[in-house]
Amino acid sequence: MVWQAIDRNEAVIDPEAPAVLSAAVRKKIESFLPRYETRLAALLPALHVVQDELGYLSHQAMKEIAEILELHPSQVLDTLSFYTHFWTHPKGRKVITVCRSICCETLGGNKLLEAIKAKLGIDEHETTPDGEYSLVTEECLALCDYGPCMLINEKVHKCVKPEDVGRILDDPNNDVVDMPRSDLFDGPHEAGK
Amino acid sequence: MADYEPVLLRNVGVENSHTLEVYRAQGGYQALAKALKMTPDEVQEEVRDATLRGRGGAGFPAGVKWSFLPKDRTHTYLCVNGDESEPPTFSNRVVMEKDPHQLIEGIIISGYATQAQAAYVYLRIEFHEPFHILQKAIDEAYAAGLLGKNILDSGYSLDCYIHRGAGAYVCGEETGLIESIEGKRGYPRIKPPFPAVEGLFRRPTVVNNVETLCNVPHIIERGADWFKSIGSEGNFGPKLFCVCGPVNRPGCYEGPMTITLGDLIYDNKYGQGMRDGKEVKAVFPGGISMGVVTTDELDMVMDFTDPAEYGLLGIGTAAAVVIDNSIDIRTVLRNVARFFALESCGQCTQCREGTSWMYKIATRIEQGAGRIEDLDLLIETTGNLGMMPGLSICGLSDGAVFPIRTIVQKFRAEFEEHIRNQEPGCVEAALAVAN
């Protein structure tokens, strides 16, 4: 991701702004703490939980995460700006991640990407006006045996041809994962403690 | 070739192979019971005797790695590398989706051998299904007393957590992975100290690949001599291979490290040949960062030593992507150069700048504005990056050097032909825009 320049003359966050993290999210973040020796180590799981809950990581959310983990807010920004998965501005309800690695590209991944762009009328890193879809590309999704492939949120779409794009994107359940899933980052991990 | 009985993939295709019940019915967790009756040193010795070499790419013997842990340590951590970001590798994904308990058993035995208190499985964020399946399997293992306090009444306790990454190739490097677990940017560390001495939270730490750990239960159950009966000297044990691209049966296969690249593509047990009448033009036999071979070099043996004879860095992840002859070699060069330019973490100047410049040159060549001297410039640049001349912290730039160097060297005639057929004046126009 690109570094965002911050105007130092104005406060980035309104000090009076109401909290954005719910009590449940705070509790979940705190549940990670026994897993690690340092509070800082719970940062990546915390960022995932907050992004899952709020859709993206606002400065206010970064500040509140920093408070819970007893960090400086800039430490939170420092870490999250390294990773491509985190969003610092609102994204669509569904994120389409198209693989562009060597295998998928040589099997027609570019045509797939162009078909999605044409269907949605957006470019990479853009969101449709109705807030339904955001489009990104990623280096190798480790699904090379099913190339060209893409993800819609957590749902894997395998061997997608450009002509399949219309059908897939018109399906309202195209991000539904048909498997029993454990609650994200939950489970009886503290059993051994 | 003699018939090969799968070991690591033996449960693939078995219904509900991801559940504890089925894994136990297939003989699972017997190695763990056996290991817990041995002393940790005996387990380490068995693995060292088997000469199990790391499956993540570098091929360092796992048992030797464990022996670097200081004897007087109070804390030990085990980090499991499931980042698997090397294009086009997906063998860890197959193992975690189809047989997660095999990995967990390997983690517990390896944790016992190194006396680790906690194991962190680092998974890339794009692994959603493997995450949910593995997390369920870990929950099952906790409930069955296989993880947590006093495992199977042995007195040994181990906690196992999944730590999900967030999209960074360099976090597959062991110290980048450690930094990422610590909640920081995934910058690889300067070594020494190596993780065995000072790793996660500055404690002695072992970092092993998923596939490496999956081998451990089988070594304990059947012994080092059985392990050494598979493969060849220096390349013992079962190995997972991936093959993808326009082959008839892309997928993850298992075999001894005596098969050739040609076997992997054409043999009926593996890729079953090219589809739609396509012909092989080039193959990246060990993940893209190891380099490329041409159609004349398919007799390369998929082991730790033979790839070097073909100008490659090594066997890497043993994942072969086949490029067919309809693909322009300039596209291949640009795609590979882009990968490393985007994934360079930016700590070392010559990696950050070098990969970016190679990407820019490759893009210009692909757009039909290349110069013959660009090919020499690319070769020269590849000589100025990486750990081989001792210039960088981690091996990422070596991974950029080998594919770009081998593509340019082995397909130079094709590049030159494209460049000769370009429209006159296009180079000047492209360079004027670039400036």
Side-chain angles (χ1 to χ4, degrees), chain B residues 209-292:
Chain B
N209 179 265
V210 166
E211 190 187 333
T212 313
L213 292 176
C214 287
N215 276 290
V216 171
H218 305 292
I219 293 173
I220 297 303
E221 197 175 334
R222 308 191 206 186
D225 290 332
W226 160 82
F227 193 79
K228 283 159 105 168
S229 70
I230 301 170
S232 59
E233 183 68 41
N235 308 292
F236 291 129
K239 178 83 188 86
L240 298 180
F241 302 99
C242 300
V243 58
C244 61
V247 293
N248 279 317
R249 211 175 54 144
C252 174
Y253 303 103
E254 186 183 335
M257 273 184 277
T258 49
I259 69 166
T260 66
L261 182 55
D263 292 337
L264 191 58
I265 297 168
Y266 291 108
D267 196 281
N268 267 342
K269 291 205 286 287
Y270 309 110
Q272 296 187 353
M274 300 293 285
R275 66 177 178 228
D276 307 331
K278 291 181 174 172
E279 280 173 42
V280 178
K281 172 175 190 160
V283 188
F284 292 89
I288 60 169
S289 62
M290 294 298 121
V292 75

Coordinates of all heavy atoms in Angstrom, one line a residue, chain B residues 209-292:
Chain B
N209 N 9.0 -25.6 8.1 CA 8.0 -25.6 7.2 C 6.9 -26.6 7.5 O 7.2 -27.6 8.1 CB 8.6 -25.8 5.8 CG 7.6 -25.8 4.7 OD1 7.1 -26.9 4.3 ND2 7.2 -24.7 4.2
V210 N 5.7 -26.4 7.0 CA 4.6 -27.3 7.2 C 4.9 -28.7 6.7 O 4.8 -29.7 7.4 CB 3.3 -26.8 6.4 CG1 2.3 -27.9 6.3 CG2 2.7 -25.6 7.1
E211 N 5.5 -28.8 5.5 CA 5.8 -30.1 4.9 C 6.9 -30.8 5.7 O 6.8 -32.1 5.9 CB 6.2 -30.0 3.4 CG 6.3 -31.3 2.7 CD 6.8 -31.1 1.3 OE1 6.7 -30.0 0.7 OE2 7.4 -32.1 0.8
T212 N 7.9 -30.1 6.1 CA 8.9 -30.7 7.0 C 8.3 -31.3 8.2 O 8.7 -32.5 8.5 CB 9.9 -29.6 7.4 OG1 10.2 -28.8 6.3 CG2 11.2 -30.2 8.0
L213 N 7.4 -30.6 8.9 CA 6.9 -31.2 10.1 C 6.0 -32.4 9.8 O 5.9 -33.3 10.7 CB 6.1 -30.1 10.9 CG 7.0 -28.9 11.4 CD1 6.1 -27.9 12.1 CD2 8.0 -29.5 12.5
C214 N 5.3 -32.4 8.7 CA 4.5 -33.5 8.3 C 5.3 -34.8 8.2 O 4.8 -35.9 8.3 CB 3.7 -33.2 7.0 SG 2.4 -32.0 7.2
N215 N 6.6 -34.7 7.9 CA 7.4 -35.8 7.7 C 7.8 -36.5 9.1 O 8.1 -37.7 9.2 CB 8.7 -35.5 7.0 CG 8.6 -35.5 5.5 OD1 8.4 -36.5 4.9 ND2 8.6 -34.3 4.9
V216 N 7.8 -35.6 10.1 CA 8.3 -36.1 11.4 C 7.5 -37.3 12.0 O 8.2 -38.2 12.4 CB 8.3 -34.9 12.4 CG1 8.7 -35.3 13.8 CG2 9.3 -33.8 12.0
P217 N 6.2 -37.3 12.0 CA 5.5 -38.4 12.6 C 5.9 -39.7 11.9 O 6.0 -40.8 12.6 CB 4.0 -38.1 12.4 CG 3.9 -36.7 12.2 CD 5.2 -36.2 11.6
H218 N 6.1 -39.7 10.6 CA 6.4 -40.9 9.8 C 7.8 -41.4 10.2 O 8.0 -42.6 10.2 CB 6.2 -40.6 8.3 CG 4.9 -40.1 8.0 ND1 3.8 -40.9 8.1 CD2 4.5 -38.9 7.6 CE1 2.7 -40.1 7.8 NE2 3.1 -38.9 7.5
I219 N 8.7 -40.4 10.4 CA 10.1 -40.8 10.8 C 10.1 -41.5 12.2 O 10.7 -42.6 12.4 CB 11.0 -39.6 10.8 CG1 11.2 -39.0 9.4 CG2 12.3 -39.9 11.5 CD1 11.9 -37.7 9.4
I220 N 9.3 -41.0 13.1 CA 9.2 -41.6 14.4 C 8.5 -42.9 14.4 O 9.0 -43.9 15.0 CB 8.4 -40.6 15.4 CG1 9.2 -39.3 15.5 CG2 8.2 -41.3 16.7 CD1 10.6 -39.4 16.0
E221 N 7.5 -43.0 13.6 CA 6.7 -44.3 13.5 C 7.5 -45.4 12.8 O 7.5 -46.5 13.3 CB 5.4 -44.0 12.8 CG 4.3 -45.1 13.0 CD 3.0 -44.8 12.4 OE1 2.7 -43.6 12.2 OE2 2.3 -45.7 12.1
R222 N 8.1 -45.1 11.7 CA 8.8 -46.1 10.9 C 10.3 -46.1 11.0 O 10.9 -47.0 10.5 CB 8.3 -46.0 9.4 CG 6.8 -45.9 9.3 CD 6.5 -46.0 7.8 NE 5.2 -45.3 7.5 CZ 4.6 -45.4 6.4 NH1 5.1 -46.0 5.4 NH2 3.4 -44.7 6.2
G223 N 10.8 -45.1 11.6 CA 12.3 -45.1 11.8 C 13.1 -44.4 10.7 O 12.6 -44.3 9.6
A224 N 14.3 -44.0 11.1 CA 15.2 -43.3 10.2 C 15.6 -44.1 9.0 O 15.7 -43.6 7.9 CB 16.4 -42.7 10.9
D225 N 15.7 -45.4 9.2 CA 16.2 -46.3 8.1 C 15.1 -46.4 7.0 O 15.4 -46.4 5.8 CB 16.5 -47.7 8.6 CG 17.8 -47.7 9.5 OD1 18.6 -46.8 9.2 OD2 17.9 -48.5 10.4
W226 N 13.8 -46.5 7.4 CA 12.8 -46.5 6.5 C 12.8 -45.2 5.6 O 12.7 -45.2 4.4 CB 11.4 -46.6 7.1 CG 10.3 -46.2 6.3 CD1 9.7 -46.9 5.3 CD2 9.7 -44.9 6.3 NE1 8.7 -46.1 4.7 CE2 8.7 -44.9 5.2 CE3 9.9 -43.7 7.0 CZ2 7.9 -43.8 5.0 CZ3 9.1 -42.6 6.7 CH2 8.1 -42.6 5.7
F227 N 13.0 -44.1 6.3 CA 13.0 -42.8 5.7 C 14.1 -42.7 4.6 O 13.9 -42.2 3.5 CB 13.2 -41.7 6.7 CG 13.0 -40.3 6.2 CD1 11.7 -39.8 6.1 CD2 14.0 -39.4 5.9 CE1 11.4 -38.5 5.6 CE2 13.8 -38.1 5.4 CZ 12.5 -37.7 5.3
K228 N 15.3 -43.3 5.0 CA 16.4 -43.3 4.1 C 16.3 -44.3 3.0 O 17.1 -44.3 2.0 CB 17.7 -43.5 4.9 CG 18.1 -42.2 5.6 CD 19.0 -42.5 6.8 CE 20.4 -42.3 6.7 NZ 21.1 -42.4 8.0
S229 N 15.3 -45.1 3.0 CA 15.1 -46.1 1.9 C 14.4 -45.4 0.7 O 14.3 -46.0 -0.3 CB 14.3 -47.3 2.4 OG 12.9 -46.9 2.6
I230 N 13.9 -44.2 0.9 CA 13.2 -43.5 -0.1 C 14.1 -42.4 -0.7 O 14.8 -41.7 0.1 CB 11.9 -42.8 0.4 CG1 11.0 -43.8 1.0 CG2 11.2 -42.0 -0.7 CD1 9.8 -43.2 1.8
G231 N 14.2 -42.3 -2.0 CA 15.0 -41.2 -2.6 C 16.5 -41.6 -2.7 O 16.8 -42.8 -2.8
S232 N 17.4 -40.6 -2.7 CA 18.8 -40.9 -2.9 C 19.6 -40.2 -1.8 O 19.1 -39.4 -1.1 CB 19.2 -40.4 -4.3 OG 18.9 -39.0 -4.4
E233 N 20.9 -40.5 -1.8 CA 21.8 -39.9 -0.8 C 21.7 -38.4 -0.8 O 21.8 -37.7 -1.8 CB 23.2 -40.3 -1.1 CG 24.3 -39.8 -0.1 CD 24.1 -40.5 1.2 OE1 23.9 -41.7 1.3 OE2 24.3 -39.8 2.3
G234 N 21.4 -37.8 0.4 CA 21.2 -36.3 0.5 C 19.8 -35.8 0.2 O 19.5 -34.7 0.3
N235 N 19.0 -36.7 -0.4 CA 17.7 -36.4 -0.8 C 16.6 -37.4 -0.3 O 15.8 -37.8 -1.1 CB 17.6 -36.3 -2.3 CG 18.7 -35.4 -2.9 OD1 18.7 -34.2 -2.7 ND2 19.6 -36.0 -3.6
F236 N 16.8 -37.7 1.0 CA 15.9 -38.8 1.5 C 14.5 -38.4 1.8 O 14.3 -37.2 2.0 CB 16.5 -39.4 2.7 CG 17.8 -40.2 2.5 CD1 19.0 -39.9 3.2 CD2 17.9 -41.1 1.5 CE1 20.1 -40.6 2.9 CE2 19.1 -41.8 1.2 CZ 20.2 -41.6 2.0
G237 N 13.6 -39.4 1.7 CA 12.3 -39.1 2.2 C 11.3 -38.8 1.1 O 11.6 -38.5 0.0
P238 N 10.0 -38.9 1.5 CA 8.9 -38.5 0.5 C 8.9 -37.0 0.3 O 9.3 -36.2 1.2 CB 7.6 -38.9 1.2 CG 8.0 -39.0 2.7 CD 9.4 -39.3 2.8
K239 N 8.5 -36.6 -0.8 CA 8.5 -35.1 -1.2 C 7.2 -34.8 -1.9 O 6.7 -35.6 -2.7 CB 9.7 -34.8 -2.1 CG 9.8 -33.4 -2.5 CD 10.4 -32.5 -1.5 CE 10.4 -31.0 -1.8 NZ 9.1 -30.4 -1.4
L240 N 6.7 -33.6 -1.6 CA 5.5 -33.2 -2.4 C 5.9 -32.3 -3.6 O 6.8 -31.5 -3.4 CB 4.6 -32.3 -1.5 CG 4.0 -33.1 -0.3 CD1 3.1 -32.1 0.5 CD2 3.2 -34.3 -0.7
F241 N 5.3 -32.6 -4.7 CA 5.6 -31.8 -5.9 C 4.3 -31.2 -6.4 O 3.3 -31.8 -6.3 CB 6.2 -32.7 -7.0 CG 7.4 -33.4 -6.7 CD1 7.4 -34.7 -6.3 CD2 8.7 -32.8 -6.7 CE1 8.6 -35.4 -5.9 CE2 9.8 -33.4 -6.4 CZ 9.8 -34.8 -6.0
C242 N 4.4 -29.9 -6.9 CA 3.3 -29.3 -7.5 C 3.6 -29.2 -9.0 O 4.7 -28.9 -9.4 CB 3.0 -27.9 -6.9 SG 2.7 -27.9 -5.2
V243 N 2.5 -29.3 -9.8 CA 2.7 -29.0 -11.2 C 1.4 -28.3 -11.7 O 0.3 -28.7 -11.3 CB 3.0 -30.3 -12.1 CG1 1.9 -31.3 -11.9 CG2 3.2 -29.9 -13.5
C244 N 1.6 -27.2 -12.4 CA 0.5 -26.4 -12.8 C 0.8 -25.7 -14.1 O 1.9 -25.8 -14.6 CB 0.0 -25.4 -11.8 SG 1.3 -24.2 -11.4
G245 N -0.1 -25.0 -14.7 CA 0.0 -24.5 -16.0 C -0.8 -25.4 -17.0 O -1.7 -26.1 -16.5
P246 N -0.6 -25.3 -18.3 CA -1.5 -26.0 -19.2 C -1.1 -27.5 -19.3 O -0.8 -28.0 -20.4 CB -1.3 -25.3 -20.5 CG 0.1 -24.7 -20.4 CD 0.3 -24.4 -19.0
V247 N -1.1 -28.2 -18.2 CA -0.9 -29.7 -18.2 C -2.3 -30.3 -18.0 O -3.2 -29.7 -17.6 CB 0.0 -30.2 -17.1 CG1 1.4 -29.7 -17.4 CG2 -0.4 -29.7 -15.8
N248 N -2.4 -31.6 -18.3 CA -3.7 -32.3 -18.3 C -4.2 -32.4 -16.9 O -5.4 -32.4 -16.6 CB -3.6 -33.7 -18.9 CG -3.6 -33.6 -20.4 OD1 -4.5 -32.8 -21.0 ND2 -2.8 -34.3 -21.1
R249 N -3.3 -32.6 -15.9 CA -3.7 -32.9 -14.6 C -2.9 -32.0 -13.6 O -2.0 -32.6 -12.9 CB -3.6 -34.3 -14.3 CG -4.7 -34.8 -13.3 CD -4.6 -36.3 -13.1 NE -3.3 -36.8 -12.7 CZ -3.1 -37.8 -11.8 NH1 -4.1 -38.4 -11.3 NH2 -1.8 -38.2 -11.6
P250 N -3.1 -30.7 -13.5 CA -2.4 -29.9 -12.6 C -2.7 -30.4 -11.1 O -3.9 -30.8 -10.9 CB -2.8 -28.5 -12.8 CG -4.1 -28.6 -13.5 CD -4.2 -29.9 -14.2
G251 N -1.7 -30.3 -10.3 CA -2.1 -30.7 -8.9 C -0.8 -31.0 -8.1 O 0.3 -30.7 -8.5
C252 N -1.1 -31.5 -6.8 CA 0.0 -31.7 -5.9 C 0.2 -33.2 -5.8 O -0.8 -34.0 -5.6 CB -0.4 -31.2 -4.5 SG 0.8 -31.6 -3.2
Y253 N 1.4 -33.7 -6.1 CA 1.7 -35.1 -6.1 C 2.9 -35.4 -5.2 O 3.6 -34.6 -4.8 CB 2.0 -35.6 -7.5 CG 0.9 -35.2 -8.5 CD1 1.0 -34.2 -9.3 CD2 -0.2 -36.0 -8.5 CE1 0.0 -33.8 -10.2 CE2 -1.3 -35.7 -9.3 CZ -1.2 -34.6 -10.2 OH -2.2 -34.3 -11.0
E254 N 3.0 -36.7 -4.8 CA 4.0 -37.1 -3.9 C 4.9 -38.2 -4.6 O 4.4 -39.0 -5.4 CB 3.4 -37.7 -2.7 CG 4.5 -38.1 -1.6 CD 3.8 -38.7 -0.4 OE1 2.6 -38.5 -0.2 OE2 4.6 -39.5 0.3
G255 N 6.2 -38.1 -4.3 CA 7.1 -39.1 -4.9 C 8.5 -39.0 -4.3 O 8.7 -38.1 -3.4
P256 N 9.4 -39.9 -4.7 CA 10.7 -39.7 -4.2 C 11.5 -38.7 -5.0 O 11.1 -38.3 -6.1 CB 11.3 -41.1 -4.5 CG 10.5 -41.6 -5.7 CD 9.2 -41.0 -5.6
M257 N 12.5 -38.1 -4.4 CA 13.3 -37.1 -5.1 C 14.2 -37.7 -6.1 O 15.4 -37.2 -6.2 CB 14.0 -36.2 -4.0 CG 13.1 -35.1 -3.5 SD 14.0 -34.0 -2.4 CE 13.9 -34.9 -0.9
T258 N 13.8 -38.7 -6.8 CA 14.6 -39.2 -7.9 C 13.9 -39.0 -9.2 O 14.4 -39.3 -10.3 CB 14.8 -40.7 -7.7 OG1 13.5 -41.3 -7.5 CG2 15.7 -41.0 -6.6
I259 N 12.6 -38.5 -9.2 CA 11.9 -38.2 -10.4 C 12.5 -37.0 -11.2 O 13.1 -36.1 -10.5 CB 10.4 -38.1 -10.2 CG1 10.1 -36.7 -9.5 CG2 9.8 -39.2 -9.5 CD1 8.6 -36.4 -9.5
T260 N 12.3 -37.0 -12.5 CA 12.8 -35.8 -13.2 C 11.6 -34.8 -13.5 O 10.4 -35.2 -13.3 CB 13.3 -36.2 -14.6 OG1 12.2 -36.7 -15.4 CG2 14.4 -37.3 -14.4
L261 N 12.0 -33.7 -13.9 CA 11.0 -32.6 -14.2 C 10.1 -33.1 -15.3 O 8.9 -32.9 -15.3 CB 11.7 -31.3 -14.6 CG 10.9 -30.1 -15.0 CD1 9.9 -29.8 -13.9 CD2 11.8 -29.0 -15.3
G262 N 10.7 -33.9 -16.3 CA 9.9 -34.4 -17.4 C 8.9 -35.4 -16.9 O 7.7 -35.4 -17.3
D263 N 9.2 -36.2 -15.9 CA 8.3 -37.2 -15.3 C 7.1 -36.4 -14.7 O 5.9 -36.7 -14.9 CB 8.9 -37.9 -14.1 CG 10.0 -38.9 -14.6 OD1 9.9 -39.3 -15.8 OD2 10.8 -39.3 -13.8
L264 N 7.4 -35.3 -14.0 CA 6.4 -34.5 -13.3 C 5.4 -34.0 -14.3 O 4.2 -33.9 -14.0 CB 7.1 -33.4 -12.5 CG 6.2 -32.6 -11.5 CD1 5.6 -33.5 -10.5 CD2 7.0 -31.5 -10.8
I265 N 5.9 -33.6 -15.5 CA 5.0 -33.0 -16.5 C 4.2 -34.1 -17.3 O 3.0 -34.0 -17.5 CB 5.7 -32.1 -17.4 CG1 6.4 -30.9 -16.6 CG2 4.9 -31.6 -18.5 CD1 7.4 -30.1 -17.4
Y266 N 5.0 -35.1 -17.7 CA 4.4 -36.1 -18.6 C 3.9 -37.4 -18.1 O 3.1 -38.1 -18.6 CB 5.4 -36.4 -19.7 CG 5.7 -35.2 -20.6 CD1 6.9 -34.5 -20.5 CD2 4.8 -34.7 -21.5 CE1 7.2 -33.4 -21.3 CE2 5.0 -33.6 -22.3 CZ 6.2 -33.0 -22.2 OH 6.4 -31.9 -23.0
D267 N 4.5 -37.8 -16.9 CA 4.2 -39.1 -16.4 C 2.7 -39.2 -16.0 O 2.1 -38.3 -15.6 CB 5.0 -39.5 -15.2 CG 5.0 -40.9 -14.8 OD1 4.0 -41.4 -14.2 OD2 6.0 -41.6 -15.2
N268 N 2.1 -40.5 -16.2 CA 0.7 -40.7 -15.9 C 0.4 -40.5 -14.5 O -0.8 -40.3 -14.1 CB 0.3 -42.1 -16.4 CG -0.2 -42.0 -17.8 OD1 -0.6 -41.0 -18.3 ND2 -0.3 -43.2 -18.5
K269 N 1.4 -40.7 -13.6 CA 1.1 -40.6 -12.2 C 1.1 -39.1 -11.7 O 0.6 -38.8 -10.7 CB 2.2 -41.3 -11.4 CG 2.2 -42.8 -11.5 CD 2.8 -43.4 -10.3 CE 4.3 -43.3 -10.3 NZ 5.0 -44.2 -11.3
Y270 N 1.6 -38.2 -12.6 CA 1.7 -36.8 -12.2 C 0.9 -35.9 -13.2 O -0.3 -36.0 -13.3 CB 3.2 -36.4 -12.1 CG 4.0 -37.3 -11.3 CD1 5.0 -38.2 -11.9 CD2 3.8 -37.4 -9.9 CE1 5.7 -39.0 -11.1 CE2 4.6 -38.2 -9.1 CZ 5.5 -39.1 -9.7 OH 6.3 -39.9 -8.9
G271 N 1.6 -35.1 -14.0 CA 0.9 -34.1 -14.8 C 0.2 -34.6 -16.0 O -0.7 -33.9 -16.6
Q272 N 0.5 -35.8 -16.5 CA -0.1 -36.5 -17.6 C 0.0 -35.6 -18.9 O -0.9 -35.7 -19.8 CB -1.6 -36.8 -17.3 CG -1.7 -37.8 -16.2 CD -3.2 -38.2 -16.1 OE1 -4.1 -37.7 -16.6 NE2 -3.3 -39.2 -15.2
G273 N 1.0 -34.9 -19.1 CA 1.3 -34.2 -20.4 C 0.6 -32.9 -20.6 O -0.3 -32.5 -19.7
M274 N 0.9 -32.3 -21.7 CA 0.3 -31.0 -22.0 C -1.1 -31.1 -22.6 O -1.4 -32.1 -23.3 CB 1.2 -30.2 -23.0 CG 2.6 -30.0 -22.5 SD 2.7 -28.9 -21.1 CE 2.4 -27.3 -21.9
R275 N -1.9 -30.2 -22.3 CA -3.3 -30.2 -22.8 C -3.5 -29.3 -24.1 O -2.6 -28.5 -24.3 CB -4.3 -29.8 -21.7 CG -4.2 -28.4 -21.3 CD -5.4 -28.1 -20.3 NE -5.3 -26.8 -19.8 CZ -5.3 -26.4 -18.5 NH1 -5.4 -27.3 -17.6 NH2 -5.2 -25.2 -18.1
D276 N -4.5 -29.6 -24.8 CA -4.9 -28.8 -26.0 C -3.7 -28.7 -27.0 O -3.6 -27.7 -27.7 CB -5.3 -27.4 -25.6 CG -6.4 -27.4 -24.5 OD1 -7.2 -28.4 -24.5 OD2 -6.5 -26.4 -23.7
G277 N -2.9 -29.7 -27.1 CA -1.8 -29.8 -28.1 C -0.8 -28.7 -27.8 O 0.0 -28.4 -28.8
K278 N -0.7 -28.1 -26.7 CA 0.3 -27.1 -26.4 C 1.7 -27.8 -26.2 O 1.7 -29.0 -25.8 CB -0.1 -26.3 -25.2 CG -1.3 -25.4 -25.5 CD -1.7 -24.6 -24.3 CE -2.8 -23.6 -24.7 NZ -3.3 -22.9 -23.6
E279 N 2.7 -27.0 -26.4 CA 4.1 -27.5 -26.2 C 4.8 -26.7 -25.1 O 4.6 -25.5 -24.9 CB 4.9 -27.5 -27.5 CG 4.5 -28.6 -28.4 CD 5.2 -28.4 -29.8 OE1 6.3 -28.0 -29.8 OE2 4.5 -28.7 -30.8
V280 N 5.7 -27.4 -24.4 CA 6.4 -26.8 -23.3 C 7.4 -25.8 -23.9 O 8.1 -26.1 -24.9 CB 7.2 -27.8 -22.5 CG1 8.0 -27.1 -21.4 CG2 6.3 -28.8 -21.9
K281 N 7.4 -24.6 -23.4 CA 8.4 -23.6 -23.8 C 9.5 -23.4 -22.7 O 10.7 -23.4 -22.9 CB 7.7 -22.3 -24.1 CG 8.7 -21.1 -24.3 CD 7.9 -19.9 -24.7 CE 8.8 -18.8 -25.2 NZ 8.0 -17.8 -26.0
A282 N 9.0 -23.3 -21.5 CA 9.9 -23.1 -20.3 C 9.1 -23.6 -19.1 O 7.9 -23.7 -19.1 CB 10.1 -21.6 -20.2
V283 N 9.9 -24.0 -18.1 CA 9.4 -24.4 -16.8 C 10.1 -23.8 -15.7 O 11.4 -23.7 -15.7 CB 9.4 -25.9 -16.7 CG1 8.7 -26.4 -15.4 CG2 8.9 -26.7 -17.9
F284 N 9.4 -23.2 -14.7 CA 10.0 -22.9 -13.4 C 9.8 -24.1 -12.5 O 8.7 -24.3 -12.0 CB 9.3 -21.6 -12.8 CG 9.5 -20.4 -13.6 CD1 8.6 -20.0 -14.6 CD2 10.6 -19.5 -13.3 CE1 8.8 -18.8 -15.3 CE2 10.7 -18.3 -14.0 CZ 9.9 -18.0 -15.0
P285 N 10.9 -24.8 -12.3 CA 10.7 -26.1 -11.6 C 10.6 -26.1 -10.1 O 10.1 -27.0 -9.5 CB 11.9 -26.9 -12.0 CG 12.9 -25.9 -12.4 CD 12.3 -24.6 -12.7
G286 N 11.0 -25.0 -9.5 CA 10.9 -25.0 -8.0 C 10.4 -23.8 -7.4 O 10.9 -23.2 -6.4
G287 N 9.3 -23.3 -8.0 CA 8.8 -21.9 -7.6 C 9.6 -20.9 -8.4 O 10.7 -21.2 -8.9
I288 N 9.0 -19.7 -8.7 CA 9.6 -18.9 -9.7 C 11.0 -18.4 -9.2 O 11.8 -18.1 -10.1 CB 8.7 -17.7 -10.0 CG1 8.4 -16.8 -8.8 CG2 7.5 -18.1 -10.7 CD1 7.8 -15.5 -9.2
S289 N 11.3 -18.3 -7.9 CA 12.5 -17.7 -7.5 C 13.8 -18.6 -7.7 O 14.9 -18.1 -7.5 CB 12.4 -17.3 -6.1 OG 12.2 -18.4 -5.2
M290 N 13.5 -19.8 -8.2 CA 14.7 -20.7 -8.4 C 15.3 -20.5 -9.8 O 16.4 -20.9 -10.0 CB 14.3 -22.2 -8.2 CG 13.9 -22.5 -6.8 SD 15.3 -22.2 -5.6 CE 14.5 -21.0 -4.5
G291 N 14.5 -20.0 -10.7 CA 15.0 -19.8 -12.1 C 14.2 -20.7 -13.0 O 13.3 -21.4 -12.6
V292 N 14.6 -20.6 -14.3 CA 13.8 -21.3 -15.4 C 14.6 -22.3 -16.1 O 15.9 -22.2 -16.1 CB 13.2 -20.2 -16.3 CG1 14.3 -19.7 -17.3 CG2 12.0 -20.7 -17.1

